[in-house]
Short mmCIF file of all heavy atoms in Angstrom, two decimals:
data_model
loop_
_atom_site.label_atom_id
_atom_site.label_comp_id
_atom_site.label_asym_id
_atom_site.label_seq_id
_atom_site.Cartn_x
_atom_site.Cartn_y
_atom_site.Cartn_z
N PHE S 215 85.46 133.10 74.55
CA PHE S 215 86.59 133.07 73.58
C PHE S 215 87.87 132.79 74.26
O PHE S 215 88.96 133.08 73.77
CB PHE S 215 86.65 134.47 72.90
CG PHE S 215 85.40 134.94 72.25
CD1 PHE S 215 84.59 135.85 72.87
CD2 PHE S 215 84.99 134.39 71.03
CE1 PHE S 215 83.46 136.30 72.27
CE2 PHE S 215 83.82 134.84 70.45
CZ PHE S 215 83.01 135.78 71.03
N GLY S 216 87.82 132.14 75.42
CA GLY S 216 89.03 131.83 76.22
C GLY S 216 90.04 131.07 75.42
O GLY S 216 91.26 131.33 75.44
N SER S 217 89.64 130.00 74.68
CA SER S 217 90.56 129.18 73.98
C SER S 217 91.21 129.93 72.83
O SER S 217 92.44 129.82 72.53
CB SER S 217 89.82 127.99 73.41
OG SER S 217 88.77 128.40 72.55
N TRP S 218 90.43 130.84 72.14
CA TRP S 218 90.99 131.63 71.08
C TRP S 218 91.99 132.59 71.58
O TRP S 218 93.05 132.85 71.01
CB TRP S 218 89.86 132.35 70.33
CG TRP S 218 88.99 131.49 69.45
CD1 TRP S 218 87.81 130.89 69.79
CD2 TRP S 218 89.27 131.00 68.16
NE1 TRP S 218 87.33 130.08 68.81
CE2 TRP S 218 88.21 130.18 67.74
CE3 TRP S 218 90.32 131.22 67.28
CZ2 TRP S 218 88.14 129.59 66.49
CZ3 TRP S 218 90.29 130.63 65.98
CH2 TRP S 218 89.24 129.80 65.65
N LEU S 219 91.71 133.29 72.67
CA LEU S 219 92.52 134.25 73.28
C LEU S 219 93.80 133.55 73.84
O LEU S 219 94.94 134.12 73.76
CB LEU S 219 91.84 135.00 74.40
CG LEU S 219 90.72 135.92 73.96
CD1 LEU S 219 90.00 136.47 75.22
CD2 LEU S 219 91.23 137.07 73.08
N TYR S 220 93.68 132.36 74.35
CA TYR S 220 94.83 131.62 74.78
C TYR S 220 95.79 131.28 73.63
O TYR S 220 97.01 131.39 73.73
CB TYR S 220 94.40 130.39 75.48
CG TYR S 220 95.55 129.55 76.07
CD1 TYR S 220 96.19 129.93 77.28
CD2 TYR S 220 95.96 128.33 75.53
CE1 TYR S 220 97.20 129.18 77.85
CE2 TYR S 220 97.00 127.57 76.05
CZ TYR S 220 97.61 128.05 77.17
OH TYR S 220 98.67 127.30 77.70
N ALA S 221 95.20 130.88 72.53
CA ALA S 221 95.99 130.59 71.30
C ALA S 221 96.69 131.85 70.81
O ALA S 221 97.85 131.84 70.38
CB ALA S 221 95.09 129.95 70.27
N ALA S 222 95.93 132.98 70.87
CA ALA S 222 96.51 134.25 70.41
C ALA S 222 97.64 134.61 71.30
O ALA S 222 98.68 135.11 70.79
CB ALA S 222 95.44 135.35 70.41
N GLU S 223 97.53 134.39 72.61
CA GLU S 223 98.62 134.74 73.52
C GLU S 223 99.93 133.96 73.20
O GLU S 223 100.99 134.56 73.16
CB GLU S 223 98.15 134.41 74.95
CG GLU S 223 99.26 134.58 75.97
CD GLU S 223 98.81 134.10 77.36
OE1 GLU S 223 97.59 134.18 77.68
OE2 GLU S 223 99.65 133.63 78.14
N TRP S 224 99.76 132.67 72.91
CA TRP S 224 100.93 131.92 72.58
C TRP S 224 101.45 132.25 71.17
O TRP S 224 102.72 132.19 70.96
CB TRP S 224 100.58 130.36 72.65
CG TRP S 224 100.73 129.90 74.01
CD1 TRP S 224 99.75 129.57 74.91
CD2 TRP S 224 101.98 129.55 74.66
NE1 TRP S 224 100.30 129.09 76.08
CE2 TRP S 224 101.67 129.06 75.96
CE3 TRP S 224 103.32 129.68 74.31
CZ2 TRP S 224 102.64 128.74 76.80
CZ3 TRP S 224 104.26 129.29 75.22
CH2 TRP S 224 103.98 128.85 76.49
N PHE S 225 100.59 132.61 70.25
CA PHE S 225 101.01 133.00 68.92
C PHE S 225 101.93 134.30 69.05
O PHE S 225 103.02 134.33 68.51
CB PHE S 225 99.80 133.30 68.05
CG PHE S 225 100.19 134.02 66.77
CD1 PHE S 225 100.81 133.30 65.72
CD2 PHE S 225 99.99 135.40 66.61
CE1 PHE S 225 101.13 133.98 64.53
CE2 PHE S 225 100.35 136.05 65.46
CZ PHE S 225 100.89 135.36 64.43
N PHE S 226 101.47 135.24 69.78
CA PHE S 226 102.23 136.49 69.97
C PHE S 226 103.49 136.26 70.72
O PHE S 226 104.51 136.86 70.50
CB PHE S 226 101.38 137.58 70.62
CG PHE S 226 100.32 138.18 69.72
CD1 PHE S 226 98.95 138.07 70.04
CD2 PHE S 226 100.65 138.79 68.57
CE1 PHE S 226 97.99 138.62 69.23
CE2 PHE S 226 99.69 139.39 67.76
CZ PHE S 226 98.34 139.24 68.01
N THR S 227 103.41 135.37 71.71
CA THR S 227 104.60 135.06 72.50
C THR S 227 105.71 134.45 71.70
O THR S 227 106.87 134.86 71.78
CB THR S 227 104.26 134.14 73.71
OG1 THR S 227 103.30 134.84 74.55
CG2 THR S 227 105.52 133.79 74.51
N ILE S 228 105.31 133.49 70.86
CA ILE S 228 106.30 132.84 70.01
C ILE S 228 106.81 133.87 68.99
O ILE S 228 108.06 133.91 68.68
CB ILE S 228 105.69 131.61 69.30
CG1 ILE S 228 105.35 130.58 70.28
CG2 ILE S 228 106.59 131.10 68.20
CD1 ILE S 228 104.55 129.38 69.78
N LEU S 229 105.93 134.72 68.42
CA LEU S 229 106.34 135.71 67.44
C LEU S 229 107.34 136.69 68.11
O LEU S 229 108.43 136.96 67.52
CB LEU S 229 105.14 136.49 67.06
CG LEU S 229 105.35 137.60 65.98
CD1 LEU S 229 105.87 137.09 64.67
CD2 LEU S 229 104.11 138.40 65.75
N PHE S 230 107.10 137.15 69.31
CA PHE S 230 107.99 138.11 69.99
C PHE S 230 109.26 137.44 70.45
O PHE S 230 110.29 138.07 70.50
CB PHE S 230 107.27 138.75 71.17
CG PHE S 230 106.14 139.65 70.74
CD1 PHE S 230 104.96 139.69 71.51
CD2 PHE S 230 106.18 140.40 69.58
CE1 PHE S 230 103.94 140.53 71.18
CE2 PHE S 230 105.14 141.30 69.23
CZ PHE S 230 104.02 141.30 70.01
N THR S 231 109.22 136.17 70.74
CA THR S 231 110.40 135.40 71.11
C THR S 231 111.34 135.34 69.92
O THR S 231 112.52 135.56 70.05
CB THR S 231 110.07 133.99 71.61
OG1 THR S 231 109.21 134.14 72.71
CG2 THR S 231 111.32 133.25 72.04
N LEU S 232 110.75 134.96 68.79
CA LEU S 232 111.62 134.97 67.57
C LEU S 232 112.16 136.31 67.19
O LEU S 232 113.34 136.46 66.85
CB LEU S 232 110.76 134.44 66.36
CG LEU S 232 110.31 132.96 66.39
CD1 LEU S 232 109.35 132.63 65.26
CD2 LEU S 232 111.50 132.04 66.39
N GLU S 233 111.37 137.32 67.38
CA GLU S 233 111.86 138.71 67.13
C GLU S 233 113.01 139.05 68.07
O GLU S 233 113.98 139.65 67.60
CB GLU S 233 110.68 139.68 67.37
CG GLU S 233 111.08 141.13 67.05
CD GLU S 233 110.54 142.06 68.10
OE1 GLU S 233 109.65 141.67 68.99
OE2 GLU S 233 110.99 143.27 68.16
N TYR S 234 112.89 138.69 69.36
CA TYR S 234 113.98 138.93 70.34
C TYR S 234 115.25 138.23 69.99
O TYR S 234 116.29 138.83 70.00
CB TYR S 234 113.53 138.54 71.66
CG TYR S 234 114.53 138.79 72.80
CD1 TYR S 234 114.80 140.04 73.28
CD2 TYR S 234 115.23 137.72 73.37
CE1 TYR S 234 115.74 140.27 74.25
CE2 TYR S 234 116.22 137.95 74.31
CZ TYR S 234 116.41 139.25 74.77
OH TYR S 234 117.33 139.41 75.80
N VAL S 235 115.15 136.93 69.55
CA VAL S 235 116.33 136.19 69.13
C VAL S 235 116.93 136.80 67.87
O VAL S 235 118.17 136.90 67.84
CB VAL S 235 115.90 134.71 68.89
CG1 VAL S 235 117.09 133.95 68.23
CG2 VAL S 235 115.48 134.02 70.13
N VAL S 236 116.11 137.20 66.90
CA VAL S 236 116.62 137.88 65.72
C VAL S 236 117.38 139.19 66.06
O VAL S 236 118.38 139.51 65.50
CB VAL S 236 115.49 138.11 64.65
CG1 VAL S 236 116.00 138.91 63.51
CG2 VAL S 236 115.00 136.75 64.18
N ARG S 237 116.79 139.94 66.98
CA ARG S 237 117.43 141.18 67.34
C ARG S 237 118.83 140.92 67.96
O ARG S 237 119.75 141.68 67.74
CB ARG S 237 116.52 141.96 68.37
CG ARG S 237 115.36 142.62 67.75
CD ARG S 237 114.55 143.40 68.73
NE ARG S 237 113.37 144.06 68.21
CZ ARG S 237 113.36 145.28 67.62
NH1 ARG S 237 114.52 145.98 67.59
NH2 ARG S 237 112.28 145.79 67.10
N LEU S 238 118.93 139.87 68.81
CA LEU S 238 120.23 139.54 69.36
C LEU S 238 121.18 139.09 68.22
O LEU S 238 122.36 139.40 68.28
CB LEU S 238 120.06 138.40 70.35
CG LEU S 238 119.37 138.77 71.68
CD1 LEU S 238 119.20 137.50 72.50
CD2 LEU S 238 120.21 139.81 72.47
N TRP S 239 120.66 138.38 67.23
CA TRP S 239 121.52 137.87 66.16
C TRP S 239 122.05 139.02 65.27
O TRP S 239 123.19 138.98 64.91
CB TRP S 239 120.70 136.92 65.34
CG TRP S 239 121.44 136.41 64.12
CD1 TRP S 239 122.62 135.74 64.06
CD2 TRP S 239 121.01 136.62 62.76
NE1 TRP S 239 122.94 135.48 62.71
CE2 TRP S 239 121.99 136.02 61.91
CE3 TRP S 239 119.90 137.15 62.15
CZ2 TRP S 239 121.88 135.98 60.52
CZ3 TRP S 239 119.80 137.17 60.78
CH2 TRP S 239 120.79 136.62 59.98
N VAL S 240 121.25 140.00 64.99
CA VAL S 240 121.67 141.04 64.04
C VAL S 240 122.33 142.17 64.79
O VAL S 240 123.02 143.02 64.14
CB VAL S 240 120.45 141.58 63.27
CG1 VAL S 240 119.75 140.51 62.50
CG2 VAL S 240 119.51 142.33 64.18
N SER S 241 122.20 142.24 66.11
CA SER S 241 122.85 143.33 66.82
C SER S 241 124.36 143.26 66.78
O SER S 241 124.91 142.19 66.89
CB SER S 241 122.33 143.37 68.29
OG SER S 241 122.93 144.42 69.03
N GLU S 242 125.00 144.39 66.65
CA GLU S 242 126.48 144.42 66.66
C GLU S 242 126.98 144.13 68.08
O GLU S 242 128.08 143.52 68.20
CB GLU S 242 126.99 145.82 66.21
CG GLU S 242 126.69 146.15 64.76
CD GLU S 242 127.21 147.51 64.40
OE1 GLU S 242 127.64 148.31 65.29
OE2 GLU S 242 127.16 147.87 63.18
N ARG S 243 126.29 144.53 69.13
CA ARG S 243 126.62 144.18 70.48
C ARG S 243 125.40 143.59 71.16
O ARG S 243 124.67 144.29 71.74
CB ARG S 243 127.08 145.49 71.18
CG ARG S 243 128.30 146.17 70.59
CD ARG S 243 128.68 147.41 71.33
NE ARG S 243 129.80 148.08 70.70
CZ ARG S 243 130.36 149.22 71.16
NH1 ARG S 243 129.76 149.80 72.22
NH2 ARG S 243 131.41 149.76 70.61
N PRO S 244 125.27 142.30 71.05
CA PRO S 244 124.12 141.65 71.63
C PRO S 244 123.92 141.90 73.14
O PRO S 244 122.81 142.10 73.60
CB PRO S 244 124.39 140.14 71.30
CG PRO S 244 125.27 140.19 70.16
CD PRO S 244 126.12 141.34 70.33
N VAL S 245 125.05 141.84 73.87
CA VAL S 245 124.94 141.98 75.33
C VAL S 245 124.47 143.47 75.67
O VAL S 245 123.64 143.67 76.52
CB VAL S 245 126.29 141.76 75.96
CG1 VAL S 245 126.22 142.10 77.49
CG2 VAL S 245 126.76 140.35 75.72
N ARG S 246 124.94 144.41 74.87
CA ARG S 246 124.54 145.77 75.13
C ARG S 246 123.05 145.98 74.81
O ARG S 246 122.35 146.68 75.57
CB ARG S 246 125.36 146.76 74.20
CG ARG S 246 125.03 148.20 74.41
CD ARG S 246 125.95 149.08 73.50
NE ARG S 246 125.66 150.43 73.75
CZ ARG S 246 126.27 151.50 73.04
NH1 ARG S 246 127.25 151.12 72.21
NH2 ARG S 246 125.90 152.73 73.28
N TYR S 247 122.55 145.36 73.74
CA TYR S 247 121.10 145.39 73.43
C TYR S 247 120.32 144.73 74.54
O TYR S 247 119.31 145.29 74.95
CB TYR S 247 120.84 144.78 72.08
CG TYR S 247 119.38 144.42 71.88
CD1 TYR S 247 118.46 145.42 71.71
CD2 TYR S 247 118.94 143.11 71.97
CE1 TYR S 247 117.10 145.14 71.58
CE2 TYR S 247 117.62 142.78 71.85
CZ TYR S 247 116.74 143.83 71.66
OH TYR S 247 115.36 143.48 71.54
N ALA S 248 120.79 143.55 74.97
CA ALA S 248 120.03 142.78 75.95
C ALA S 248 119.90 143.56 77.31
O ALA S 248 118.92 143.41 78.08
CB ALA S 248 120.70 141.47 76.21
N ARG S 249 120.91 144.44 77.61
CA ARG S 249 120.92 145.18 78.82
C ARG S 249 120.26 146.57 78.68
O ARG S 249 120.13 147.30 79.64
CB ARG S 249 122.30 145.35 79.39
CG ARG S 249 123.02 144.00 79.75
CD ARG S 249 124.46 144.24 80.06
NE ARG S 249 124.62 145.11 81.23
CZ ARG S 249 125.79 145.42 81.76
NH1 ARG S 249 126.95 145.00 81.20
NH2 ARG S 249 125.92 146.26 82.74
N SER S 250 119.89 146.94 77.49
CA SER S 250 119.33 148.22 77.23
C SER S 250 117.86 148.28 77.69
O SER S 250 117.28 147.16 78.01
CB SER S 250 119.36 148.58 75.73
OG SER S 250 118.54 147.74 74.96
N PHE S 251 117.19 149.40 77.68
CA PHE S 251 115.82 149.53 78.12
C PHE S 251 114.90 148.64 77.30
O PHE S 251 114.13 147.81 77.84
CB PHE S 251 115.35 150.97 78.09
CG PHE S 251 113.89 151.16 78.31
CD1 PHE S 251 113.31 151.07 79.63
CD2 PHE S 251 113.02 151.37 77.28
CE1 PHE S 251 111.98 151.22 79.86
CE2 PHE S 251 111.65 151.53 77.48
CZ PHE S 251 111.12 151.48 78.77
N PHE S 252 115.00 148.80 75.97
CA PHE S 252 114.11 148.05 75.11
C PHE S 252 114.48 146.54 75.14
O PHE S 252 113.57 145.70 74.94
CB PHE S 252 114.20 148.56 73.67
CG PHE S 252 113.39 149.80 73.49
CD1 PHE S 252 113.95 151.02 73.02
CD2 PHE S 252 111.99 149.82 73.63
CE1 PHE S 252 113.19 152.15 72.86
CE2 PHE S 252 111.21 150.94 73.44
CZ PHE S 252 111.79 152.09 73.07
N GLY S 253 115.74 146.21 75.30
CA GLY S 253 116.12 144.85 75.40
C GLY S 253 115.49 144.10 76.52
O GLY S 253 114.98 143.06 76.49
N VAL S 254 115.54 144.87 77.72
CA VAL S 254 114.92 144.28 78.91
C VAL S 254 113.42 144.16 78.81
O VAL S 254 112.79 143.09 79.14
CB VAL S 254 115.29 145.11 80.17
CG1 VAL S 254 114.51 144.65 81.41
CG2 VAL S 254 116.78 145.12 80.40
N VAL S 255 112.79 145.14 78.21
CA VAL S 255 111.32 145.16 78.02
C VAL S 255 110.96 144.03 77.05
O VAL S 255 109.95 143.29 77.25
CB VAL S 255 110.83 146.46 77.46
CG1 VAL S 255 109.34 146.35 77.07
CG2 VAL S 255 110.96 147.57 78.57
N ASP S 256 111.73 143.84 75.95
CA ASP S 256 111.47 142.77 74.93
C ASP S 256 111.52 141.42 75.65
O ASP S 256 110.72 140.50 75.35
CB ASP S 256 112.47 142.87 73.80
CG ASP S 256 112.24 144.06 72.95
OD1 ASP S 256 111.18 144.73 73.08
OD2 ASP S 256 113.15 144.41 72.14
#
């Protein structure tokens, strides 16, 4: 199932990338969020 798992990896990566960008967009202080624990982990 390597090809399926590889596709799943990219699907989740793109999904989480969009989520990270949206979090920066809606945050009142984007820099503060980006430097926070969850921001760095994201």
Side-chain angles (χ1 to χ4, degrees):
F215 306 102
S217 58
W218 288 95
L219 293 173
Y220 182 75
E223 175 186 328
W224 274 104
F225 168 77
F226 287 119
T227 297
I228 294 173
L229 179 66
F230 293 143
T231 302
L232 292 175
E233 180 223 348
Y234 179 74
V235 172
V236 172
R237 285 182 181 274
L238 290 175
W239 174 61
V240 303
S241 179
E242 294 181 352
R243 299 179 179 178
V245 176
R246 182 177 180 182
Y247 162 71
R249 296 174 61 181
S250 66
F251 171 77
F252 281 120
V254 173
V255 172
D256 290 347

